[in-house]
Amino acid sequence: MSKKYSLHSRAGFLSTKTVLFLSLIFSVLFTQNTAVAQDDGIPTDEATISAGEKLFKANCTVCHAVNDKVIGPALRDVHKRRNLAWIQAFVKNSQKVIQSGDDYAVNLYNEYNKTEMTAFDFEDAEIASIVGYLKAESAKEIVVATEETTTTGGDEVASQEPSQFVNIVMIVLLVVLVLILAVLGMIITMLKKYLSQKDDLSEEDREIAEQTFDVGALVKSNAFLGLAAFVFTAIIMKSAIDGIFTIGVQQGYQPDQPIAFSHKIHAGDYKIDCNYCHTGVRKSKNANIPSPNICMNCHSSIKTESPEIQKIYAAIENNEPIEWVRIHNLPDLAYFNHSQHVKVGEIECQTCHGPIEEMDKVSQYAPLTMGWCINCHRETDVNTKGNDYYNKLVAKHAEHSKESMKVEDIGGLECSKCHY
Ligand code: HEC
Ligand code: HEC
Ligand code: HEC
Ligand code: HEC
Ligand code: HEC
Ligand code: HEC
């Protein structure tokens, strides 16, 4: 302010036009200045922004994204909608701000069906770093997300289709064969009729024309009996072998669950990360099924009246676990480790579990047979990038092979790797 006054007093020496012009420029500069002053407190240095990014990803992405509405609003440009102090108060305790009668907060709360945002016990500086991160993100162009996850299951689907395809081709071929036989038969009878009506046939031709095809003799012939016996045993063998290999295979198993939990709503529509509920999947053998407490992070305020949600409350009140029906289940003799595949191998959940985010009710997508594990280990390259542990192995492998290093090359087919 003082700057502006001193400027005007000096301007007295100049012509009025110049004064007007100069004050116009300075008033523009000045208003821009206030904008900067309003931003004061929002950090712009990279270290703080990256600290803010960590906090945001660890605490907020369950309900917020920068560019998309998730459970809460998209936070792009939130620093332009609200000032830092308001955001700090709201993040610390949104209910307090709403109850204070703040119009903006009340409207937003109603717009989001009275979904309570979690209260965070953060320092002002921590919240400022998050806003710094959000501001930096808001300055970036919106990138249209490519739908990678939905296509990753593609290979698996493609590899399952051929067997069905082969069946269809076989059936079509069979039908065509029968048709050809029938048409041939008709042609023969027609030709015979035509020939027998002709008088000027030689003795030899007449013999051929009147020759009858003895079906009975053919059926009794050794060659035919041998062939029939062979086909018959082949069919029996094939179905018996198929049967043996599908004992215990539960592909497609889709039991009812005690609560009508939908992955389509949670992982699909609301894009909640799989790790948020299946907490072990990146760090241990087991993926874990979430405890009711995790559901309560949201359902203490979302859809509280729904009878399905009431079942969660009942489980917590009675201190009983929800009895989810297990779908995927390897026999005890086999060892499978999630983090090895998901974290080290960087395999998408959908490769093995299918499009879970589209399922209202989960079903077992893969056969989970030994052949299924082994096939993938034969076909899949080891993910070696950024993993020093593999550098030596890769160099060794390259000495005697031109092909990329598959899981089988690091021992993925050894019995003891999968069997205790
Ligand atoms: C359980 C879900 C949930 C979590 C977790 C959550 N929020 Fe929210 N947030 C909401 C909802 C819902 C709203 C809309 C207002 C309401 O319903 O209270 C909201 C609103 C906001 C707003 C106001 C947005 C606007 O457009 O004005 C800000 C800012 C905000 N949240 C920041 C955060 C930050 C920062 C975090 C992480 C530290 C966070 N939220 C974590 C659900 C959540
Ligand atoms: C909001 C929590 C939540 C999220 C997010 C979530 N799940 Fe689940 N998941 C569950 C619950 C609860 C069950 C048990 C009930 C059921 O089978 O539907 C389950 C079951 C499963 C099962 C079957 C487990 C069994 O019994 O064999 C698989 C596989 C699975 N989830 C994969 C995923 C994948 C992949 C994602 C991410 C795309 C995901 N989940 C996201 C809560 C969640
Ligand atoms: C990150 C937030 C979040 C978590 C965690 C979460 N849910 Fe949900 N859930 C939602 C949202 C959002 C909806 C959709 C509400 C709507 O349709 O308005 C929903 C809907 C539901 C519904 C449908 C309710 C109805 O009647 O329409 C059920 C059942 C449900 N959730 C069960 C669960 C269970 C069980 C868990 C824990 C394993 C869980 N949810 C964890 C956010 C969450
Ligand atoms: C390489 C294949 C593969 C990948 C990738 C994979 N899973 Fe699994 N998943 C399995 C197998 C096999 C089982 C059965 C394990 C058992 O019975 O011991 C299983 C079981 C589960 C279960 C049931 C509970 C448990 O721990 O046994 C859940 C939940 C689950 N997976 C979630 C996920 C999620 C979430 C991801 C992605 C982050 C994922 N899975 C990635 C193969 C896979
Ligand atoms: C979609 C492909 C895929 C499927 C299906 C799969 N795996 Fe794997 N598996 C991998 C990859 C990739 C690795 C290598 C991970 C790494 O870099 O260490 C691996 C590694 C392993 C290892 C460690 C091997 C070693 O020498 O270190 C074991 C054990 C294993 N898998 C068991 C299983 C079992 C059991 C199943 C079936 C229930 C299975 N896998 C299904 C891709 C798969
Ligand atoms: C990549 C992992 C993997 C490797 C390597 C592997 N197996 Fe298996 N094996 C499995 C899985 C998973 C099952 C369970 C399949 C099922 O239930 O259909 C299984 C099942 C079996 C069974 C059937 C047991 C029963 O009760 O049905 C036998 C026997 C067996 N394996 C022997 C072997 C031998 C011998 C080797 C080494 C040549 C070997 N396996 C290598 C994963 C593997």
Side-chain angles (χ1 to χ4, degrees):
M1 283 299 217
S2 59
K3 239 185 194 170
K4 205 181 176 194
Y5 281 121
S6 67
L7 202 142
H8 273 274
S9 57
R10 247 193 282 161
F13 299 107
L14 306 165
S15 74
T16 34
K17 259 190 188 169
T18 339
V19 171
L20 272 176
F21 179 60
L22 276 181
S23 50
L24 187 75
I25 289 183
F26 276 94
S27 68
V28 168
L29 280 180
F30 182 75
T31 39
Q32 268 187 359
N33 254 341
T34 46
V36 172
Q38 208 181 52
D39 275 359
D40 254 358
I42 300 182
T44 48
D45 65 298
E46 258 171 49
T48 319
I49 287 178
S50 89
E53 176 177 5
K54 281 208 189 90
L55 280 175
F56 181 74
K57 293 205 163 138
N59 297 288
C60 321
T61 47
V62 185
C63 298
H64 290 290
V66 178
N67 295 315
D68 292 309
K69 184 169 152 180
V70 189
I71 287 163
L75 293 182
R76 190 184 186 81
D77 290 334
V78 68
H79 64 287
K80 291 187 187 160
R81 295 197 287 276
R82 299 282 90 191
N83 65 29
L84 183 60
W86 185 94
I87 296 175
Q88 283 164 333
F90 195 81
V91 172
K92 282 182 190 163
N93 192 341
S94 65
Q95 283 302 305
K96 207 165 136 192
V97 179
I98 292 160
Q99 274 149 22
S100 78
D102 180 297
D103 278 346
Y104 180 92
V106 172
N107 287 339
L108 197 66
Y109 185 53
N110 289 333
E111 191 186 324
Y112 282 83
N113 296 325
K114 306 206 170 178
T115 303
E116 272 177 42
M117 174 166 139
T118 326
F120 291 91
D121 189 15
F122 283 163
E123 304 285 330
D124 280 344
E126 287 174 312
I127 300 172
S129 73
I130 297 177
V131 180
Y133 164 70
L134 290 171
K135 188 180 165 190
E137 284 299 295
S138 306
K140 293 182 188 164
E141 293 278 315
I142 295 180
V143 192
V144 178
T146 46
E147 298 228 326
E148 258 183 23
T149 41
T150 47
T151 50
T152 38
D155 310 325
E156 192 64 28
V157 173
S159 73
Q160 282 185 349
E161 265 168 7
S163 91
Q164 255 188 5
F165 180 69
V166 168
N167 280 345
I168 292 171
V169 168
M170 295 292 272
I171 291 171
V172 169
L173 277 182
L174 208 73
V175 170
V176 169
L177 257 173
V178 169
L179 278 179
I180 290 178
L181 279 179
V183 170
L184 276 179
M186 272 160 60
I187 291 176
I188 289 175
T189 10
M190 267 161 56
L191 278 178
K192 270 187 184 167
K193 247 190 202 154
Y194 172 75
L195 283 178
S196 60
Q197 278 162 8
K198 278 204 158 181
D199 304 326
D200 54 350
L201 276 180
S202 69
E203 200 51 28
E204 240 173 279
D205 287 345
R206 184 163 300 278
E207 214 170 84
I208 293 173
E210 283 174 2
Q211 201 178 47
T212 52
F213 180 67
D214 189 346
V215 181
L218 178 78
V219 170
K220 279 183 204 137
S221 76
N222 280 344
F224 182 83
L225 285 178
L227 193 73
F230 176 75
V231 170
F232 185 69
T233 31
I235 290 173
I236 298 273
M237 290 274 282
K238 168 104 172 62
S239 35
I241 291 173
D242 277 357
I244 289 171
F245 280 118
T246 47
I247 289 176
V249 176
Q250 297 197 328
Q251 194 166 17
Y253 179 49
Q254 189 180 35
D256 282 332
Q257 298 290 350
I259 296 180
F261 174 83
S262 162
H263 279 80
K264 185 165 174 291
I265 294 180
H266 294 85
D269 300 349
Y270 286 99
K271 299 196 171 60
I272 304 172
D273 190 23
C274 316
N275 295 306
Y276 182 75
C277 291
H278 301 294
T279 48
V281 85
R282 296 185 66 82
K283 48 188 187 228
S284 78
K285 176 179 177 299
N286 293 316
N288 294 355
I289 299 296
S291 70
N293 290 330
I294 293 188
C295 316
M296 290 304 284
N297 286 348
C298 296
H299 286 294
S300 57
S301 56
I302 296 175
K303 282 260 173 184
T304 50
E305 302 300 316
S306 156
E308 294 299 317
I309 302 300
Q310 299 281 333
K311 292 184 193 167
I312 308 177
Y313 303 159
I316 289 178
E317 251 161 49
N318 305 335
N319 204 9
E320 277 169 358
I322 301 169
E323 291 187 1
W324 301 110
V325 181
R326 184 165 183 148
I327 301 161
H328 298 76
N329 204 357
L330 289 176
D332 288 343
L333 55 91
Y335 172 82
F336 177 82
N337 185 316
H338 267 98
S339 72
Q340 192 163 38
H341 289 86
V342 175
K343 184 134 187 279
V344 186
E346 289 193 355
I347 302 176
E348 301 280 345
C349 316
Q350 285 78 1
T351 312
C352 298
H353 292 300
I356 292 271
E357 67 285 351
E358 292 166 15
M359 298 181 194
D360 272 323
K361 202 159 129 195
V362 180
S363 74
Q364 182 177 319
Y365 175 80
L368 303 195
T369 56
M370 177 162 137
W372 173 73
C373 314
I374 300 241
N375 269 345
C376 185
H377 287 183
R378 285 208 177 108
E379 287 163 4
T380 310
D381 289 343
V382 178
N383 169 33
T384 53
K385 60 176 185 298
N387 194 334
D388 291 342
Y389 174 80
Y390 283 130
N391 286 349
K392 268 194 197 142
L393 278 177
V394 172
K396 260 230 169 87
H397 176 76
E399 276 171 20
H400 60 85
S401 170
K402 282 200 196 95
E403 289 202 19
S404 53
M405 193 167 83
K406 310 278 189 217
V407 183
E408 70 173 325
D409 300 318
I410 60 166
L413 303 191
E414 283 166 26
C415 319
S416 59
K417 288 274 169 74
C418 304
H419 293 292
Y420 295 104

